[in-house]
Amino acid sequence: MSADEIRTEPKPVFKTASFYHNSKSSVKKRAWKSLKQIISTEKALPWPENVVHYSSINAPPSFKPAEKFSDLSGLPAPYTDPQTRLRFANKEEYATLIGLPMDITAGYLALRGASSIVG
Amino acid sequence: MEILEFKDLKCVPDIVHPYTPSLRNNSTPIIIDNGSYQCRAGWATSSEPLLIFKNLIAKPRKERSKKDTVEASQAPQLQVGNDIINIEAVRFQLKTQFDRNVVTHFEAQEHLFDYTFAHLGIDSENSVPHPIVLTEAVLNPNSSRQLMSELLFECYSVPGVSYGIDCLYSYHFNEVKPQENALIINLGYHTCHVVPIIGKKMVFENTRRLNTGGFHIISFLHRILQLKYPAHATSITLSRAEELLHSICAIALDYRKELNRWTDPLYYEENIKRIQLPYNASLVSSALTLEQQKERKRELARRLTEINARKREERLIEDEEKLNQLLYIQEMTEAGVDKEEIDRACADYQIKNVQDLQKHINNLNQKIEKTKQKIIAANTTDEVEEPVAKQAKHTKMVFENEKEMHLFVQNAKKMRQEILNKKMTRKQRKQDMAKRRTAAGQERMRIISQLARKEKGNDDFGLRDEDWDIYKAISKDGGDSDSEAENEKLLELDDIIRTYEPSELDETLNPGETHQLHVGIERYRAPELIFKPYMLGSSEAGLSEVIGYVLSLFNNEDQLKLAENVVIMGGLANLPGLQERILSDLISIRPFQSIVNVRTVKNPSLGAWHGAKKWTKSGEFKGSFLTKKMYEEFGSEYFKTHVASNPFYHTPKGQNVDIEMV
């Protein structure tokens, strides 16, 4: 906390005046460790055998095949448009789909998490 | 058809609650259910949490242009919790102390504790003399808890802290008669937990966490509506999506069946929800009806004629007066008055001599006569004069009969369609050209490579004019682009069609209708996310699958015990249809005719707070506090475990930590 900020917000009386976050890293941009960093640090430690920690209770990956739903309507979609990679359910949807501008189609893909080129 | 409207509830700033002597002197514990969505805080003696606010702070950014030395005192204050009246206004400055369901940002946490303690009325100096009961994430990492203890003990000097898991407090202490075995399904804002309890003890190694929650549902709904209505993208806000989730969303018992039902237009019509977005009525005034427009024009014309008439009358009076004076002068000359006096009078009217005077009088007489005639003419034609009905640019042609007109309109439509088609194919071609794999794209590349090839000697390219056409073929526009002339023609045709068949191209007459959201399948699609995280691109298993997986980690006997008592809690537990869905999914994976019971707790979102409160009344409570002395003695990560807490594992002091961290 910079000096002028303290001046503008008087500290509540119940606080200890001398307290400061000493675990905050000195680099300004990334002051606090993100959860990802915390987990990876935690994983790196030599824990005893039977210890359960945060990252070990993640849900398992799905074993069922993902169903395909239309990006536009949400209906079951048997087709994929090769141009935009969007899924659609019927020809009416296709008609609207080919008229969609790029940002909308990209938005639908990003929403489904399918915008990466590799996937 | 019923049309719903957004309520757009605003936050009400919290009052500062009174700090009564009984609270002050008895060191009453403070219960804080610190959730990633909301924080609920209150005294162990109060019947309901006194403070319920979203765990958010809005940190105004410093304006770069201003010198902060001068403006520092005027800088906008930090807004915390319910101080934020309109969340959407500060959406981009919002911060939370949470990363998923774990507290990581302790500066933000400090602000929120300040807010909590200040609004509870605490005014003791240099300390908060009350033990704190605080909820935390399942298997909260040691480093997060360590920082939390540090903050509470060193900044607020609390006498003691107790950490517990929200769903365990809720189950063990807020249920009338908690059974020894249960499978808790806790649906949170960022995560969902499936927690098995055997013999009153939580089985940590078989607990599973699904990293999808209410937050994901809300942002999914938000985005999908924005994409469906790009024109209203700014008025579809996250708060409104949240409101929709709580007002109209539901979980389908069988998602596939539900989808099939929506393909039926009748079902669609009956079940779709229409939601009115607020819109500005002033924008609409341009879309007046033809009748109103005519009326307005008539009104204008009337006012203009009135003004003209008044002017004419004024002129008439003026002229008549002048005439009278001139006639008086003439009389004077006839009566043989002194010549000098007559000359002076004439000079007043800029008349040179008596002949001139006669001429002037004649002129005036004529002018008056003309004005009088005009007034008479205006009065008679006033009523008849109607503004000519203006056609929409096109003067209507006269047709011999209906059929011919129809033919004409059909023709215009055909031409319009042709132009549209042409535009469409051009666009398609352009797209194809841009891609490498299409036939058009490959043909283009072939031509380019042929052009680039140099053959010695016989390069006669350009001798014929047709040679240059090849560049048209390979240009990205595909030779010709949407020409100006074509666009003009299109507008003209639109005009023609509108003139003869006004209904054809007109937009809806009700302007509000264009500001309506139609929410149909989305009502089921968004909450379905917790059962199908792959709809967001996550590879995690859905809720039902995770439940099945957790059950499979137990032996048959325990599986029976768990399935007999499945308890749903958390903010999303009140979604209509959720309980039935989990029951039906469970039955489908359980052995034939085995007992399956699913129920929802009474107060899913406040249960944890009430549970923790009741826990402070139990005997176990006294010994479960981590005191400041213990904190100093056993290290900052130490805490006391109890029935509703996480297990304590001492962080190993690995010698090889530093090497591994690189």
Side-chain angles (χ1 to χ4, degrees):
Chain A
M1 205 183 263
S2 58
D4 55 66
E5 263 177 273
I6 293 169
R7 185 152 39 83
T8 56
E9 301 161 32
K11 270 198 170 187
V13 286
F14 48 77
K15 283 172 89 171
T16 311
S18 62
F19 177 77
Y20 70 100
H21 295 280
N22 55 9
S23 55
K24 187 178 168 181
S25 84
S26 53
V27 189
K28 262 236 156 162
K29 276 276 174 192
R30 307 205 47 165
W32 297 95
K33 272 189 182 175
S34 71
L35 182 60
K36 226 175 169 181
Q37 286 171 305
I38 294 175
I39 291 173
S40 64
T41 324
E42 199 180 53
K43 266 187 178 168
L45 292 170
W47 294 94
E49 282 279 298
N50 58 344
V51 170
V52 192
H53 39 81
Y54 188 85
S55 53
S56 51
I57 59 163
N58 268 323
S62 184
F63 298 119
K64 289 176 187 162
E67 288 169 278
K68 284 175 181 156
F69 299 108
S70 160
D71 286 297
L72 277 75
S73 66
L75 296 171
Y79 317 110
T80 305
D81 173 32
Q83 285 260 323
T84 57
R85 312 291 311 152
L86 287 184
R87 293 172 186 160
F88 58 99
N90 48 42
K91 66 172 191 235
E92 286 82 13
E93 270 179 33
Y94 182 70
T96 47
L97 187 151
I98 52 170
L100 287 178
M102 279 280 279
D103 56 329
I104 302 285
T105 57
Y108 275 119
L109 286 180
L111 189 64
R112 176 151 55 87
S115 49
S116 94
I117 311 156
V118 188
Chain B
M1 185 71 215
E2 189 196 8
I3 293 166
L4 305 170
E5 263 181 55
F6 285 112
K7 291 192 201 78
D8 286 336
L9 292 177
K10 297 265 188 289
C11 293
V12 184
D14 284 312
I15 53 158
V16 175
H17 293 273
Y19 190 39
T20 59
S22 71
L23 293 173
R24 188 193 301 263
N25 301 329
N26 295 341
S27 67
T28 316
I30 299 173
I31 318 285
I32 302 174
D33 176 12
N34 199 24
S36 62
Y37 175 58
Q38 276 183 334
C39 174
R40 300 106 187 167
W43 302 100
T45 49
S46 44
S47 57
E48 290 290 322
L50 293 178
L51 304 168
I52 299 178
F53 54 87
K54 286 188 177 169
N55 252 334
L56 291 173
I57 57 175
K59 199 170 189 178
R61 238 170 272 154
K62 247 182 240 151
E63 279 177 57
R64 240 177 249 167
S65 56
K66 290 176 185 164
K67 289 269 186 309
D68 47 5
T69 47
V70 188
E71 304 288 329
S73 55
Q74 289 169 16
Q77 290 279 315
L78 185 83
Q79 290 175 299
V80 183
N82 282 341
D83 284 349
I84 310 168
I85 305 294
N86 185 2
I87 284 195
E88 291 311 324
V90 289
R91 177 62 74 188
F92 295 109
Q93 294 147 28
L94 287 183
K95 263 190 188 166
T96 174
Q97 73 272 46
F98 280 90
D99 191 345
R100 220 184 282 168
N101 60 342
V102 173
V103 182
T104 57
H105 197 293
F106 283 87
E107 222 171 284
Q109 183 65 65
E110 187 185 332
H111 289 303
L112 283 150
F113 274 148
D114 285 352
Y115 180 89
T116 311
F117 295 140
H119 283 81
L120 285 176
I122 295 168
D123 56 4
S124 51
E125 252 176 67
N126 287 333
S127 77
V128 177
H130 299 272
I132 311 281
V133 178
L134 190 67
T135 62
E136 60 176 11
V138 176
L139 294 174
N140 194 18
N142 275 352
S143 63
S144 168
R145 190 179 303 113
Q146 181 183 346
L147 290 170
M148 186 66 91
S149 295
E150 189 180 304
L151 180 66
L152 285 170
F153 283 119
E154 289 178 26
C155 181
Y156 299 100
S157 306
V158 296
V161 189
S162 177
Y163 298 105
I165 299 170
D166 48 354
C167 60
L168 294 184
Y169 277 134
S170 179
Y171 180 74
H172 286 308
F173 301 102
N174 202 36
E175 294 293 287
V176 184
K177 241 187 179 172
Q179 293 174 37
E180 294 219 330
N181 310 310
L183 189 68
I184 298 175
I185 297 164
N186 187 23
L187 306 168
Y189 190 53
H190 276 100
T191 53
C192 293
H193 284 93
V194 179
V195 178
I197 292 177
I198 298 274
K200 284 199 167 180
K201 284 219 169 84
M202 173 168 168
V203 187
F204 283 95
E205 61 271 25
N206 292 349
T207 297
R208 283 298 175 271
R209 178 192 54 241
L210 181 63
N211 294 313
T212 309
F215 166 80
H216 301 95
I217 296 177
I218 292 166
S219 41
F220 183 78
L221 189 61
H222 172 233
R223 194 75 189 111
I224 213 157
L225 287 177
Q226 275 192 331
L227 290 169
K228 194 172 169 186
Y229 299 99
H232 304 309
T234 46
S235 45
I236 301 167
T237 58
L238 275 171
S239 328
R240 285 184 174 152
E242 194 178 323
E243 199 184 317
L244 286 184
L245 170 66
H246 293 299
S247 56
I248 60 168
C249 283
I251 302 250
L253 187 60
D254 183 331
Y255 190 58
R256 284 237 150 206
K257 262 190 202 157
E258 185 65 40
L259 289 185
N260 278 337
R261 254 180 263 156
W262 281 94
T263 52
D264 175 16
L266 268 177
Y267 184 86
Y268 182 91
E269 271 305 311
E270 269 172 35
N271 289 283
I272 191 131
K273 300 278 182 196
R274 291 178 169 81
I275 297 133
Q276 184 69 55
L277 283 170
Y279 65 95
N280 227 344
S282 64
L283 283 174
V284 179
S285 64
S286 62
L288 285 174
T289 58
L290 263 175
E291 200 51 40
Q292 278 170 311
Q293 277 178 349
K294 250 186 214 164
E295 186 55 42
R296 204 169 269 190
K297 267 182 200 159
R298 229 176 278 148
E299 178 67 27
L300 259 175
R302 202 179 309 135
R303 220 178 293 161
L304 209 69
T305 48
E306 264 173 32
I307 291 170
N308 278 342
R310 208 180 309 135
K311 265 189 192 161
R312 260 184 236 125
E313 253 160 51
E314 274 167 17
R315 211 184 307 143
L316 187 66
I317 291 167
E318 211 175 277
D319 286 349
E320 271 174 347
E321 208 168 293
K322 198 174 171 189
L323 183 68
N324 279 340
Q325 273 161 355
L326 291 183
L327 281 175
Y328 175 67
I329 297 170
Q330 197 179 25
E331 262 170 44
M332 284 204 297
T333 51
E334 275 160 18
V337 189
D338 189 12
K339 189 114 199 249
E340 243 176 64
E341 210 169 310
I342 292 167
D343 276 349
R344 213 187 304 137
C346 284
D348 278 350
Y349 293 97
Q350 289 154 348
I351 298 165
K352 281 170 206 150
N353 50 34
V354 186
Q355 285 85 28
D356 215 24
L357 178 71
Q358 197 56 47
K359 217 161 103 191
H360 265 273
I361 289 170
N362 285 343
N363 272 349
L364 264 178
N365 268 332
Q366 272 174 14
K367 214 171 153 190
I368 290 167
E369 197 57 37
K370 253 188 202 167
T371 322
K372 272 182 182 166
Q373 270 172 8
K374 260 189 200 166
I375 290 173
I376 292 163
N379 281 341
T380 47
T381 54
D382 209 17
E383 305 308 318
V384 191
E385 202 181 311
E386 274 270 294
V388 190
K390 222 177 137 192
Q391 283 300 340
K393 276 187 187 171
H394 266 269
T395 44
K396 220 164 188 166
M397 274 184 264
V398 185
F399 291 102
E400 279 168 22
N401 51 31
E402 276 282 296
K403 207 174 157 195
E404 207 157 315
M405 187 188 100
H406 189 68
L407 213 73
F408 175 74
V409 173
Q410 283 303 317
N411 210 15
K413 274 190 193 165
K414 213 171 111 193
M415 268 154 58
R416 178 171 172 272
Q417 196 54 49
E418 261 169 31
I419 295 177
L420 285 179
N421 284 348
K422 230 189 250 173
K423 277 186 152 189
M424 185 73 113
T425 46
R426 215 171 278 148
K427 198 176 153 200
Q428 184 65 43
R429 198 174 134 77
K430 205 173 167 185
Q431 276 181 355
D432 284 352
M433 285 284 218
K435 296 251 164 68
R436 276 167 182 247
R437 291 231 189 93
T438 53
Q442 274 171 353
E443 174 66 11
R444 179 166 166 263
M445 292 314 280
R446 192 186 64 78
I447 296 174
I448 290 176
S449 63
Q450 221 165 37
L451 282 174
R453 198 173 55 209
K454 263 198 185 149
E455 281 173 45
K456 274 179 196 159
N458 56 351
D459 185 9
D460 58 350
F461 182 85
L463 285 182
R464 282 160 288 129
D465 278 348
E466 299 92 80
D467 285 352
W468 301 103
D469 283 344
I470 204 137
Y471 285 109
K472 269 190 197 168
I474 62 169
S475 86
K476 280 248 160 89
D477 293 330
D480 51 349
S481 53
D482 298 359
S483 66
E484 201 62 17
E486 236 176 22
N487 286 341
E488 264 168 36
K489 182 81 187 163
L490 196 64
L491 282 179
E492 198 181 312
L493 287 171
D494 276 353
D495 245 4
I496 290 172
I497 296 169
R498 202 175 292 129
T499 324
Y500 295 103
E501 276 178 20
S503 65
E504 196 70 3
L505 288 167
D506 267 352
E507 281 132 42
T508 45
L509 286 175
N510 179 5
E513 230 161 87
T514 55
H515 288 260
Q516 272 176 17
L517 306 182
H518 290 205
V519 186
I521 297 177
E522 291 87 355
R523 288 169 56 200
Y524 296 95
R525 191 177 169 191
E528 188 68 17
L529 268 184
I530 54 174
F531 292 95
K532 296 179 171 47
Y534 56 75
M535 295 205 298
L536 264 181
S538 161
S539 61
E540 275 184 340
L543 184 60
S544 297
E545 216 183 328
V546 173
I547 295 173
Y549 177 79
V550 167
L551 284 174
S552 74
L553 296 173
F554 290 91
N555 58 34
N556 283 343
E557 207 179 311
D558 284 343
Q559 281 189 21
L560 274 178
K561 286 182 197 163
L562 291 174
E564 257 172 45
N565 188 26
V566 177
V567 185
I568 309 171
M569 57 179 72
L572 290 177
N574 280 335
L575 273 181
L578 179 74
Q579 191 179 326
E580 293 80 2
R581 169 65 175 273
I582 289 181
L583 181 66
S584 95
D585 281 4
L586 255 180
I587 289 173
S588 71
I589 55 168
R590 295 297 301 150
F592 182 59
Q593 283 192 336
S594 68
I595 304 167
V596 176
N597 281 316
V598 179
R599 67 192 171 89
T600 311
V601 298
K602 234 191 304 157
N603 193 346
S605 39
L606 292 183
W609 189 86
H610 285 288
K613 190 189 93 176
K614 284 173 191 157
W615 176 70
T616 59
K617 306 262 182 337
S618 74
E620 194 191 6
F621 162 70
K622 281 271 166 349
S624 304
F625 267 100
L626 167 74
T627 61
K628 184 148 192 182
K629 208 177 151 205
M630 289 182 200
Y631 167 75
E632 278 157 3
E633 196 175 330
F634 299 121
S636 52
E637 64 175 29
Y638 180 76
F639 72 107
K640 285 274 222 167
T641 58
H642 52 87
V643 68
S645 78
N646 279 311
F648 173 65
Y649 306 113
H650 194 74
T651 305
K653 292 243 174 0
Q655 299 87 344
N656 50 353
V657 172
D658 287 338
I659 303 157
E660 277 188 273
M661 269 178 67
V662 174

